[in-house]
Every structure is written in structure tokens, then in C-alpha cells.
């Protein structure tokens, strides 16, 4: 029986991983989460209480972190400020959590000699042209565009340095865009679904040609558990499920699945520095660790997510008006 510490376990992907671990292993999980605007304790409701402990706190709190590392066998680090649009508005929390917070965890991992898995993003590689046949791989040079992605890139480089200089037993994964239940309504897909539910027209940044490589959050979780169990220390693994789609097609599909005309959306002010295209080549993870995604049909995964937002309005409604007021103030 392993004792796992999961940072950011009340967020979208972290909570998915906690659900996944508790249903696929005998592990006991401690979640460390600050419960920022993005964290929601209710995302962990219904899980077995004898195998899950929740600690509210900051990953940059060295004393708290040290005590929790002393009681754990391994750490999976999801906690982050995660939204590009927020990072353009106020970068400071991104530096505090993504850089200083990760540093604080690495120092504790070093002191306690503990296995550490760092969750990161494909955005550290910058973006690709629409007609570029290339996809990101583990050897693509870092070239982040936004305050968010540059702080994630910085956190990845800290992990690599702590592996090489101090022998920390860490792995890193960089995943593409996730979708599924429990995602905050600030993000693209939940924003458009909940807009339609509320009778608001979906909002597409710029021309909507930008491409994201979508993966279901359940597939991200199974990949992370695979890397935690079988990944080689010091290695980086890219996680992706061959799900490239342009934003315009995604909005049109959401409208169609929700019974609305496919063109019932607005074009709004584009994001500053908007990355054009992300695309992941996950050959290394598949070949070396034998991982495969289960959700290969985006349309049915999206339909299930739409059902979830329809039946779980109490989960997202408290955030919706504030998020839309923030976007409206920026013409988005
Ligand atoms: P999220 O914003 O939904 O959740 C982040 C969680 O971290 C929240 O529960 C929040 O309360 C917590 N948190 C924030 N600051 C904290 C702090 N200082 N101390 C403790 N807890 C804190 O984000 P997400 O979409 O679930 O992303 C989780 C991780 O996965 C991030 O590291 C992100 O970079 C990475 N990632 C996300 C995606 C995606 O598509 N969403 C893709 C690839 C990688
Ligand atoms: O209302 C919108 N309209 C729109 O066209 C919003 C919120 C977004 N967009 C566009 C911007 C992007 O091209 O949709 C795309 C996806 O936007 P986000 O959901 O904000 O995701 P992105 O910026 O791609 O980053 C996400 O994937 C990588 C996560 O938020 C990151 O945490 C992760 O690292």
C-alpha cells in the first residue's frame, strides 16, 4: 500500500487523477490543495474516506510541505495557476505557485529522497504553424509564449536541474489540452457548453483557426499512473491522443450536439500572443511504457461532458457570472 501525496488534487486534472488512483490501486492519497478560485472540494465527493485525506494549504509553505513529504512514499505535482488568460492579466500568482511552489516541493523531495512526478504541458514548446507536418516530441526545444507557459517551462527546468544536481528521483510529463467533467468554466470547452446552457452565444477568439490536441482527462490520468509506476527516473514523457481540432470546429460541434444552429456563435477579441497550434507525438510513452489512450472518439467524449455540465449546474454555477464578467471586461 503506497502513500501518495497529490498537489492540486481539487483541480480539474488532479481530482480526475485522485478518482483514477482510488479506483485502480490500493494506494492511500493525501491531497494538498490551496483551494484557489480553481479548486473545488466537491470534485472529490463520494470517494472512500478511509483512503483519502484532504489538506488545505499552499505548496509554497515549506513547513507544511516538509511534514507531508515525511509521511509520503511518492508525490504527484499538479498544483498550478493554469489559465493563460489570467496570466496575461496578472502574472504574479503564476510565478509564486508554478516557480516558487515547485521549488519548495523539489527541496522537500531532495531532503526526503522521495519519488516525484511533475505534471506539465505541451505549451512549454511554444506553437507550430497550421501547415507544419511536425509535432512536439521530447527533444523539441523549449519556446514558451505566455506568462503561464513560461512559468511551467521554468518549473520543468527546475525539476531537471534537481534531478541532475541533487539526484532527486523525478519524472516529468507534458500533456496536451484536456477535456472532461469538472473542468473550470473559464476554459474553452466548459465555457462554451455553459454559455449554451445559459442562453449566451459561444465566444471564439479571433478567426478560430487555432488548433489544440484534445485528450480526455481519464487518458491523461492513466498515462500519469503508468509513468509513476514504470517511468525511468530523469525522463520526460509527452502525453497525447492524436486529437488535433481547430477551435471553430469544436464550437460548431458543441452547438450541434446541444441542438443549436452550428453558426450561433460570436467572434471576439483574440488572445494576446495566441499560440496557433499544439500537436503531440507520444510515441515514446506508447513504445517504452506500453500506454494507449482509451477515449478515441472525441464526439462521444464531448457529448458525455455536455451531459455532465447539464446535470451538475450546482458545481459550476457559482463561478459562471464572475468568469463572464472578467471576459466581458476584455471584449472576450
Ligand atoms: P486547475 O486550475 O483546474 O487546478 C489547479 C489546482 O491547483 C486547483 O485545485 C488549485 O486550488 C490548486 N492550487 C493552485 N495554486 C496552489 C498552491 N499555491 N498550493 C496548492 N494548491 C494550489 O488546473 P488543471 O487544468 O487541473 O491543471 C493541473 C495541472 O496540469 C497544471 O500543472 C497544468 O499546468 C497541467 N496541465 C493542464 C492541462 C489542461 O488542459 N488543463 C494540460 C496539460 C497540463
Ligand atoms: O472563450 C474562449 N474562446 C476561445 O476561442 C476561450 C476561453 C478560449 N478560446 C481558445 C483559446 C485556445 O486556442 O480556445 C483554445 C483553448 O483555450 P483554453 O481552454 O484557455 O486552453 P489553452 O490556452 O490551450 O491551455 C490549456 O491547455 C494546456 C490549459 O488551460 C493549460 O492549463 C494547459 O497547459
Amino acid at each position: 500500500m503506497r502513500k501518495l501525496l497529490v498537489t492540486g488534487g481539487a483541480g480539474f486534472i488532479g481530482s480526475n487523477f485522485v478518482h483514477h488512483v482510488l479506483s485502480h490501486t490500493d494506494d492511500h492519497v493525501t491531497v494538498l490543495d490551496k483551494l484557489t478560485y480553481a479548486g473545488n472540494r466537491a470534485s472529490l465527493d463520494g470517494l472512500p474516506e478511509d483512503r483519502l485525506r484532504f489538506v488545505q494549504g499552499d505548496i509554497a509553505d515549506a513547513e507544511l510541505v516538509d511534514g507531508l513529504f515525511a509521511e509520503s512514499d511518492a508525490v504527484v505535482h499538479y498544483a498550478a495557476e493554469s489559465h493563460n488568460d489570467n496570466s496575461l492579466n496578472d502574472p504574479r500568482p503564476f510565478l509564486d505557485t508554478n516557480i516558487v511552489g515547485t521549488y519548495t516541493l523539489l527541496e522537500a523531495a531532495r531532503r526526503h529522497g522521495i519519488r516525484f512526478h511533475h505534471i506539465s504541458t505541451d505549451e512549454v514548446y511554444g506553437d507550430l504553424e497550421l501547415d507544419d507536418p511536425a509535432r512536439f516530441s521530447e527533444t523539441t526545444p523549449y519556446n514558451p509564449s505566455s506568462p503561464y507557459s513560461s512559468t511551467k517551462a521554468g518549473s520543468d527546468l527546475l525539476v531537471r536541474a534537481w534531478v541532475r544536481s541533487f539526484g532527486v528521483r523525478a519524472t516529468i510529463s507534458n500533456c496536451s489540452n484536456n477535456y472532461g467533467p469538472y473542468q473550470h468554466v473559464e476554459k474553452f470547452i466548459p465555457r462554451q457548453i455553459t454559455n449554451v446552457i445559459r442562453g449566451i452565444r459561444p465566444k471564439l477568439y479571433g478567426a478560430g483557426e487555432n488548433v489544440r490536441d484534445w485528450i480526455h482527462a481519464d487518458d491523461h490520468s492513466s498515462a500519469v499512473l503508468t509513468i509513476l509506476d514504470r517511468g525511468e527516473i530523469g525522463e520526460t514523457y509527452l502525453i497525447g491522443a492524436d486529437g488535433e481540432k481547430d477551435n471553430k470546429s469544436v464550437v460548431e460541434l458543441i452547438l450541434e450536439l446541444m441542438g443549436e444552429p452550428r453558426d450561433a456563435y460570436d467572434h471576439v477579441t483574440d488572445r494576446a500572443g495566441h499560440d496557433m497550434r499544439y500537436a503531440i507525438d507520444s510515441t515514446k510513452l506508447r513504445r517504452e511504457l506500453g500506454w494507449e489512450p482509451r477515449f478515441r472518439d472525441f464526439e462521444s467524449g464531448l457529448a458525455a461532458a455536455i451531459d455532465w455540465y447539464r446535470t451538475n449546474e450546482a458545481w459550476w454555477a457559482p463561478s459562471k457570472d464572475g468568469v463572464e464578467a472578467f471576459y466581458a471586461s476584455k471584449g472576450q
Side-chain angles (χ1 to χ4, degrees), residues 1 63 83 89 139 191 223 328:
M1 180 208 77
E63 203 177 318
H83 193 37
N89 196 50
T139 54
R191 182 181 184 207

Side-chain angles (χ1 to χ4, degrees), residues 78-154:
Y78 286 90
E81 286 293 334
S82 69
H83 193 37
N84 276 301
D85 292 319
N86 291 342
S87 82
L88 296 165
N89 196 50
D90 179 14
R92 181 66 202 227
F94 290 75
L95 290 149
D96 292 338
T97 290
N98 301 359
I99 301 279
V100 179
T102 301
Y103 156 76
T104 307
L105 299 175
L106 285 168
E107 283 292 81
R110 177 185 170 191
R111 271 195 303 279
H112 293 278
I114 204 170
R115 173 82 175 88
F116 188 82
H117 181 70
H118 177 64
I119 303 294
S120 193
T121 168
D122 58 0
E123 297 191 21
V124 300
Y125 300 113
D127 62 351
L128 299 160
E129 297 296 331
L130 293 180
D131 59 358
D132 190 337
R135 299 192 290 172
F136 299 137
S137 78
E138 287 77 4
T139 54
T140 304
Y142 275 39
N143 187 27
S145 314
S146 74
Y148 163 67
S149 54
S150 61
T151 57
K152 290 299 290 186

Side-chain angles (χ1 to χ4, degrees), residues 11-13 33-34 36 39 58-59 78 82 97 120 148 152 178:
F12 165 45
I13 310 180
D33 197 296
K34 189 176 176 181
T36 67
D58 194 325
I59 56 165
Y78 286 90
S82 69
T97 290
S120 193
Y148 163 67
K152 290 299 290 186
N178 285 222

Side-chain angles (χ1 to χ4, degrees), residues 13 81-85 120-123 148 152 175-178 183 185-192 195 203-206 208 210-212 214 247 251 268 271 274-276 278 327 332:
I13 310 180
E81 286 293 334
S82 69
H83 193 37
N84 276 301
D85 292 319
S120 193
T121 168
D122 58 0
E123 297 191 21
Y148 163 67
K152 290 299 290 186
C175 187
S176 60
N177 284 61
N178 285 222
Q183 186 170 27
V185 291
E186 69 188 356
K187 302 295 192 324
F188 177 54
I189 287 179
R191 182 181 184 207
Q192 313 315 338
N195 274 357
K203 310 290 182 218
L204 198 57
Y205 293 173
N210 308 65
V211 169
R212 295 296 182 263
W214 294 100
N247 293 340
V251 163
V268 295
R271 174 183 286 172
H274 197 173
D275 280 339
M276 187 48 83
Y278 305 138
Y327 282 128
Q332 292 181 320

